[in-house]
Amino acid sequence: MELRSGLSRIRATIARLLFHLLTGRYSRRTGIAIGFVGAVLITVVGYVSGPTVERIVTGVSVIPVLTFTTGDLTVLWGVHATVITLSLVGLSFAWNSVKNLPTVDTIIEEIAYRLRSIETISFLLTSNLCIGAGVLLATEDFVSADIGTATGALLVVSVVVTVHRFWIVFDLLLHNTLDEKVFDFADAALSGKSRATTSDYDVYLGHFFDASRTEIERDRPERLREKLRNVEKLLDKLLASDSELREDRRFWEYVYGKYDAIYRRSITQQNPELEKQVIASLSGVFWKTQNHGDPDLIEQTVQCFATLFIRGYSMEPQNSTTEFLLERFENAQNRIFGQFRNAENEESLEPATEQVDSLLETHTSLWRTTVEYEAVGALDYLRFMLDDVHQFREYTYAPPQAVRDARDIPEDSLEARKQEKADTYRDTISHLKFGTYGWALNLFEEGDVSEYFIEQVFADYVEQDFGSISKLSGMYFEMGEATEPLNYWERWNLDRELERSHGVASTGMASNTWLLRFYCTALVWILNSEEAIDNLQNRDAGDSPLTKYDHIQNRVEKIIDRLDSYRDGYPLNDVLSGGPSADERCDALVNYFETVRNELDEQEQDWIRTLPVSDESVDSYAESADSQLDSCSLRTAIEEVGGITQVETLDRDASTKFTLYATTPRKAFVDDGVPTFFNSNFLGLIDKYRGRVLEKLEFEEREVEAAADVPDALAEVVSEEDVALIVAEHMEVARILRDDERSNRISDDDLRSYFAFQDVPVLRDVTTEFAVVVLFNEEFDYVEEVNDYPISVEVTPGEDVDEWDLEDLPDEADIRDYVRIETSYNAHIESSGSTGVVFRIRAQE
């Protein structure tokens, strides 16, 4: 294997060297040396072989014997010098012409290498010197065979070299073979033979793109197509190679950017045929990327169709080539949909689904553009393209779920997965229609599209695609819960705001803003007869499609509010064509949705009553209570001064214990799909803890008349006792202490203390239980019982509570709608003497 690899490298090296020699890819000094060595080598070989050549020639009667006199040789020397002069002048003029060729400098340099002027000049000059040497060496009247053969060979080769050089130049200039040369250069770059690398490939493409621009400016569609076919050929060569450039996204962005640029230029020429040629070429690139099967390239190519589509409308709203572009795009769509249909294994299904995803994403750009430019014809075409796509119909690849279960068809089978994808795509198309029509209404409300256009959208499209309350409601709530990457409608409004603000922008969710307005507007629109209103009023709220969704009462409330606002300002009031008034329609809809909301509340309540108390919710509540306990600064101070020992079970009497009960709705403690965050501050619970701890640690009780008296009273204690820490009420008392002249700034993150009073750290506590607590440096015994948390929590469903205090429940309440929370704390706290002083502000009578 190593030997074969080594031979392969040797062959590649030899091929590269030969290519460099044949194409002149070497330095000027090397070129001069090659010309010099070539001339000298011919001279030496001719001189040495001259006598042999003479015997052969004289021995063959059909070959005439040529004899030269020394004078003839001198004349030939002069002729050779003249030829050299004329050749150099001619090559100089030819080179100046080559430099002016309509292409980029890189390609000019490539051509310069191919002309190889340096070695030609070196060869001719050296040949002339060698012929001159022959003249000097010829001392007899007739030239000897050795000198004659050498000079003759030099003369012949000089003529051949000169003619060949001129042939290359004139072939390039007169027969216009520049494009062929560019193909040669590109091939050499891809194969690694040339000095250029694949990174220069865009230069060769740029040559044809520039030539295409020239043909556009000259208004020559046929010639433009020729140049663009060359682009396609170069791209095909690249895709067929193993070059890393084929996967370089920036390179392909350059390619599609060039297509956008020349399409833009063709629009300015006001010639639809030019635009069609650019579109046709892009279509050709699509087929080539399809043949090579790279999903990323296919996605970029398909997206370029949208780029040209948008460009056309932005520059020429009445663009006449739109239908041609959509026809080519439809051809691409048919190919992609066909690949999805024909996928027979996982390897072919995965890229097929990626291509369908990219295609539908491109559709979103096309559809949005049609409504922004009121392009009714294009919108009709796009609707036709996605109307009842047979590849996405129900049960095309797999039967219904019940049949699958009966036939034991696994859920992960290819057929089931294809059907699942097809169903998703079918829903995505419906989302696209709903979102597009909603975006049209949003533009109308902002004054960006005409009343005539929005009337067409609702009369021709909304009524046809979503002609019932069930269809509208199902689609609106589906889109509100959509999580697929194609929920592009959320980006539309944000993109629009960013374009307007040219900076930072924020918008609400589409389902709460413009999609909500469209949904409500469409509901009013389709309720266009007394019969429709009667049917709505007689409809059972339990049969509403909304009842299959959970936790949507807030959204229904927003719908009611929006419909209620339409009683006075329905946006399409001026284009309603007969039937009940907007007020009548809104009244019926408001009543209906209020009934649905009540039905949803009852369903949710009945369901929650059946759910058990969630252990996760109880633990979350206990964790929140523990977090509040940890934030208690009095507890922090006690831990710092004397420490708190935690045990699973107390081995002595619990001198400090308490139990609190609370009643709360059951919904907070069941797993109903909506997470509950217990953000209560548990103030009563923590104050209960503070009171019991202060009681058992034997703090001396003192009173002050007002908060302003605290600093002096505190200073007296500090001066008399060994004070470890001070805990102050966090509002008024802490502020007064902080501003006192006896306080100074400190920073103790562990204690959460940021100032000291007379060099004693002060902690702030959120409480009304005391004004200030002073802790001495005294030992005490503090052991608490901990089962997961110091404060244990038990939650009991209402139906399992033995005795309810009726004052804890609202009137006519169902006990199943509530739970009782029991919080308890057990600890043994004992001190041998006073552990500090607690100051309280005397109550005002």
Side-chain angles (χ1 to χ4, degrees), residues 41 158 251 304 404 513 712:
L41 187 61
S158 296
F251 169 79
C304 193
R404 279 187 250 170
T513 53
D712 291 337

Side-chain angles (χ1 to χ4, degrees), residues 608-625:
I608 287 176
R609 287 171 179 171
T610 65
L611 296 177
V613 170
S614 167
D615 292 338
E616 289 79 7
S617 298
V618 175
D619 186 70
S620 177
Y621 184 88
E623 184 179 2
S624 297

Side-chain angles (χ1 to χ4, degrees), residues 747-758:
S747 180
D748 191 329
D749 293 337
D750 293 335
L751 291 175
R752 297 192 296 273
S753 174
Y754 304 103
F755 74 95
F757 182 81
Q758 290 189 338

Side-chain angles (χ1 to χ4, degrees), residues 302 325-333 359 363 366 385:
V302 169
L325 188 150
L326 291 178
E327 287 175 356
R328 294 306 179 99
F329 182 68
E330 184 180 15
N331 291 339
Q333 172 180 289
L359 178 79
H363 262 285
L366 300 178
M385 287 175 63

Side-chain angles (χ1 to χ4, degrees), residues 715-767:
E716 182 181 347
V717 175
V718 172
S719 64
E720 296 175 353
E721 302 288 347
D722 182 12
V723 177
L725 290 172
I726 299 170
V727 183
E729 179 270 328
H730 77 297
M731 293 294 287
E732 185 178 14
V733 176
R735 177 180 57 80
I736 291 173
L737 284 177
R738 185 194 61 203
D739 295 340
D740 192 272
E741 63 182 6
R742 287 163 287 190
S743 295
N744 59 286
R745 299 281 183 180
I746 64 170
S747 180
D748 191 329
D749 293 337
D750 293 335
L751 291 175
R752 297 192 296 273
S753 174
Y754 304 103
F755 74 95
F757 182 81
Q758 290 189 338
D759 297 328
V760 179
V762 178
L763 285 68
R764 295 183 295 179
D765 208 358
V766 182
T767 182

Side-chain angles (χ1 to χ4, degrees), residues 156 194 283 485 548:
V156 171
S194 70
S283 180
K548 71 177 183 179

